[in-house]
Structures are given as C-alpha cells and as structure tokens.
C-alpha cells in the first residue's frame, strides 16, 4: 500500500528523505493519508475522510484543531525536545543581552560619527548609560522544567547563576536530568519571589493563558527581567507594559512581537526565532517523519498530543488499530467481534487519554474484508484500520 503525505510549510529534506518508496510526498496532495506541518494554521482546513494523522514538526500545536481531530480519529503528533537546544540558546542570548542593554547600546553606537568629538571619545563619554549587572550570582527563576526548561536551568548553573524552578508535572526522568544545584520549589509564587530573572517554559492552554499578569508581577522583585520564549499568550501584555512603566520590570524579552510591544523602551522582540536553526528544523522533521511512518505502517503511536501513546512490535498475522470512545464495554465488544470471526488474539494493548482510547491488536486467522465493517459498527468506534 502506498501512503500519501501532504507537506505544509517548508519541511527539511532530511525529514522527507526518511520516507521510503511506500510514500508519496507532495505539498498539493489530494485527500492525503497524513499531513506534515510546521506553523501553518489548520483551524479552517477541511479534513478528508482519508486523513489519518497530522505531525507538527515542532512542539506547540495551537495551530491544529485538536478536538476536531480527536472526534474524527486523526492522530496528532508533535516533536518534543527536537528544538529544545535551539530555544535554550536563544533564551541564554536574551538572558545575557537583557542584563547588559546590548540592543540599545548597538543602536546608539550605530549613530556615532566623527565630528567635533571623535567616535572614540563619544564612546567613552556615553557608554555608562548602558551599564548593567552580571548574571553570575543572580537567581534565575524558571516556570516549567521540561525539555527546554531543564536545559536552560543547567546552562544557567554553568554560568554561575542560582536557579529556582517549579513544574507541577515534573517527571522522575526530567528531575534526574536537572543539575543537583537547581532548587525545585512547589509553587510559582516561590519562584516569583526569588527571581532576579524569570523565564517561562510551559505550553499555552486555558490554564496558562495570561499567567504572567498584574497579580503575578506584584509578587516579583523590583527590577526583575522577564523572558518569554514559550508562547506570547502566556503574558498579559498590558500588565507587563504597566510594570515596565513603573520600573517593577526592568526588561521584557520575548519571541512574539505584537503591535503594542514594538518600539517600547525596555522591550526587545525577536520574530519567533526559537526553533529557527537548521539543526532544529532537521531534528523536528526527522522525528515527525518517523512518527508518521510508524503510525501509518504499524499503528504505533509515539508523542501524540490527543491520543495515548501505544506501541508494540509486530509478531505476525494482521494488526488491528482501533480508535474508540473510552466507554465501558468497548473492549468486550471488540474482542466479541474477533471471537465471532474465529480470530486468535496474539497480542493486545489498550490505553486511554481522557474520553478517547486506542486499542492495538495482533490477530491470526482468516481476516476478511468484512472485519473492519463489523468493528466500525461498534457503538464506541471512531476509526478502524486493519493492517
């Protein structure tokens, strides 16, 4: 069977080359089996019945309608950690130049000309206006200690900073990756109170929208420097600008320009450059291609954001991949159909994620074309594939 992959945006060739001859790759594919996307918005896109999966070559998936995909049985993947180092390096850049007023200093220096006073003398006279503190010995507060936050934490420790962070979903593996000198605290308020510099690394959702607001800023140190390379919507821009005007916040560095932020003293915006490195684009594309390939060919799910991760090796026979509602009796209904068809279940795994479940079965016996029809007739069924 040949699968059709539609690419949106420019996808690194290192990723598309990972697909074998069983796939056709095109940016204008009609009724594709899967979509490979970076930042293009799919919220107003109509999905064909044949669409089985969408892979986002990146971490954030706010450009993809997750609820609609779940209802249609479309598996959505992302590539966590693939661009983590690229974002980490940009955060460190922001951390350093926010302290030393580098953008303002460069802009001022570009205006200098020899005249009655030489450039050298103008430099000596004017440089004091751009003085700023060293980061060594200062405290970096981190909200979110996942793939990016942990890298930032460890790099900051190496630069001589004290690091205080929090993450309510901190896994054992993530905790073990942290430098032992990183102090993990229970609440965001503990981080706000300690931080000379604050960086946020959490996903954008209804719970995190505007989390850096007037109330949060009031709990911070006077003169705090805030960095946001996660999502623009995490910060209440109006509250942040008020805090800049009052001097509560000394600098705001972010990767998400908006009209009200541009040209404001103390604000430095980069144009969403977090993952804009050739290494990051390659890593994301390669991981996304691997996820799509394994799902289409084997039904295995790794790094899905709307379905449970389920993976098992093929052991022969035919494989049944079934997305269904997470309701009582669903598994017995599935196995009942297989029993009626005189099929033997060699291996089975079932996991759920909120209201949706995924069941993967390897069966032996005479698998007829009617089997998928019978499984789709189960009340809880959303999508059935027989490989």
């Amino acid at each position: 069977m040949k699968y059709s992959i539609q690419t949106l945006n420019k996808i690194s060739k290192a990723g598309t080359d990972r697909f074998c001859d069983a796939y056709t790759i095109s940016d204008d594919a009609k009724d594709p089996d899967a979509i490979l996307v970076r930042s293009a918005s799919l919220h107003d896109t109509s999905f064909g019945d044949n669409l089985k999966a969408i892979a986002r070559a990146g971490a954030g998936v706010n450009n993809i309608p997750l609820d609609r995909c779940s209802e249609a049985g479309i598996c959505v993947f992302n590539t966590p950690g693939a661009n983590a180092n690229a974002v980490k390096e940009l955060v460190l850049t922001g951390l350093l130049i926010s302290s030393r007023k580098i953008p303002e200093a460069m802009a001022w220096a570009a205006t200098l000309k020899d005249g009655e006073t030489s450039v050298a003398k103008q430099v000596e006279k004017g440089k004091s206006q751009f003085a700023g503190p060293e980061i060594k010995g200062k405290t970096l507060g981190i909200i979110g200690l996942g793939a990016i936050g942990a890298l930032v934490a460890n790099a900051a420790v190496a630069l001589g900073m004290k690091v205080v962070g929090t993450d309510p979903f901190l896994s054992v593996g993530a905790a073990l990756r942290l430098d032992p000198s990183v102090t993990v605290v229970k609440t965001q308020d503990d981080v706000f109170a300690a931080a000379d510099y604050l960086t946020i690394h959490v996903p954008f959702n209804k719970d995190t929208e505007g989390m850096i607001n007037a109330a949060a800023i009031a709990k911070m140190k006077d003169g705090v420097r805030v960095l946001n390379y996660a999502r623009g919507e995490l910060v209440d821009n109006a509250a942040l600008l008020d805090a800049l005007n009052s001097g509560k916040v000394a600098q705001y560095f972010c990767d998400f320009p908006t009209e009200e932020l541009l040209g404001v003293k103390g604000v430095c915006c980069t144009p969403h450059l977090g993952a804009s490195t050739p290494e990051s684009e390659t890593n994301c594309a390669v991981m996304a291609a691997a996820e799509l390939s394994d799902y289409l060919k084997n039904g295995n799910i790794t790094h899905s954001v709307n379905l449970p991760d389920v993976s098992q090796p093929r052991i022969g026979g035919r494989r049944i991949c079934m997305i269904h509602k997470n309701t009582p009796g669903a598994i017995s209904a599935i196995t009942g159909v297989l029993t009626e068809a005189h099929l033997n279940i060699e291996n089975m795994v079932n996991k759920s994620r909120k209201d949706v479940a995924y069941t993967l079965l390897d069966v032996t016996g005479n698998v007829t074309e009617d089997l998928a029809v019978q499984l789709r007739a189960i009340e809880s069924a959303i999508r059935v594939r027989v490989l």
Side-chain angles (χ1 to χ4, degrees), residues 296-375:
L296 293 175
K297 287 170 48 180
N298 300 310
N300 292 325
I301 298 178
T302 306
H303 300 143
S304 174
V305 297
N306 67 329
L307 295 177
D309 281 3
V310 176
S311 183
Q312 65 178 6
R314 300 288 290 267
I315 60 172
R318 301 290 295 277
R319 171 158 285 188
I320 298 168
C321 314
M322 188 162 176
I323 302 170
H324 55 90
K325 296 175 183 176
N326 185 25
T327 54
I331 299 300
S332 61
I334 295 169
T335 56
V337 169
L338 301 182
T339 300
E340 285 292 320
H342 304 290
L343 297 174
N344 188 51
I345 299 174
E346 302 292 343
N347 206 349
M348 181 179 81
V349 60
N350 166 267
K351 291 184 180 179
S352 63
R353 184 169 187 161
K354 297 182 179 179
D355 298 329
V356 181
Y358 186 59
T359 301
L360 202 60
L361 307 103
D362 290 325
V363 301
T364 53
N366 182 25
V367 176
T368 67
E369 294 182 0
D370 292 338
L371 180 64
V373 175
Q374 295 172 38
L375 289 170

Side-chain angles (χ1 to χ4, degrees), residues 142-150 164-172 174-175 177-178 182-191 200-203 208 211:
I142 303 179
I143 308 295
L145 294 167
I148 297 170
V164 175
T166 190
D167 191 329
F169 305 106
L170 185 64
S171 66
V172 173
R177 288 193 293 271
L178 287 172
V182 174
T183 301
V184 179
V185 295
K186 290 184 178 180
T187 70
Q188 294 179 12
D189 288 355
D190 294 328
V191 175
I200 48 179
H201 299 285
V202 298
T208 61
M211 62 182 289

Side-chain angles (χ1 to χ4, degrees), residues 25-230:
I25 316 296
S26 170
D27 59 3
D28 58 357
K30 300 296 188 290
D31 198 21
D33 292 284
I35 292 173
L36 185 53
V37 63
R38 288 178 61 196
S39 58
S41 176
L42 299 179
H43 286 281
D44 296 324
T45 301
S46 296
F47 300 137
D49 293 339
N50 190 48
L51 186 66
K52 302 169 183 65
I54 299 171
R56 160 78 164 98
V61 290
N62 54 315
N63 58 323
I64 300 171
L66 297 184
D67 289 344
R68 184 153 61 94
C69 288
S70 296
E71 291 169 3
I74 299 169
C75 186
V76 180
F77 299 93
N78 70 345
T79 57
N83 61 7
N85 186 71
V87 178
K88 176 208 76 175
E89 291 187 1
L90 190 60
V91 172
L92 293 178
T93 302
L95 180 65
L96 291 163
I97 65 177
S98 70
S99 237
R100 303 294 292 274
K101 300 181 183 177
I102 302 299
E104 299 96 327
M106 292 174 66
W108 177 77
T111 67
L112 302 180
K113 294 181 180 179
D114 282 325
E116 292 183 6
T117 306
S118 69
V119 167
K121 289 184 177 180
Q122 293 176 63
V123 166
E124 289 306 310
K125 183 178 179 180
K127 67 181 183 180
S128 61
Q129 64 186 300
F130 305 112
E134 298 179 14
I135 64 172
K136 183 178 180 181
K138 306 301 189 301
T139 298
L140 175 65
I142 303 179
I143 308 295
L145 294 167
I148 297 170
L151 288 179
V152 171
N154 293 345
V157 169
L159 290 170
M161 300 190 79
K162 301 171 186 176
V163 179
V164 175
T166 190
D167 191 329
F169 305 106
L170 185 64
S171 66
V172 173
L176 291 173
R177 288 193 293 271
L178 287 172
D179 187 283
S181 66
V182 174
T183 301
V184 179
V185 295
K186 290 184 178 180
T187 70
Q188 294 179 12
D189 288 355
D190 294 328
V191 175
F192 294 152
D196 299 302
Y197 302 78
L198 178 75
T199 181
I200 48 179
H201 299 285
V202 298
F204 168 64
N205 55 45
K206 61 181 178 61
D207 296 320
T208 61
E209 183 175 8
M211 62 182 289
I212 305 301
N213 51 32
I217 293 170
K219 299 170 183 175
M220 300 178 193
K221 289 182 178 181
D222 292 343
V224 65
R225 289 168 167 81
V226 179
L227 298 95
N228 175 19
Y229 292 91

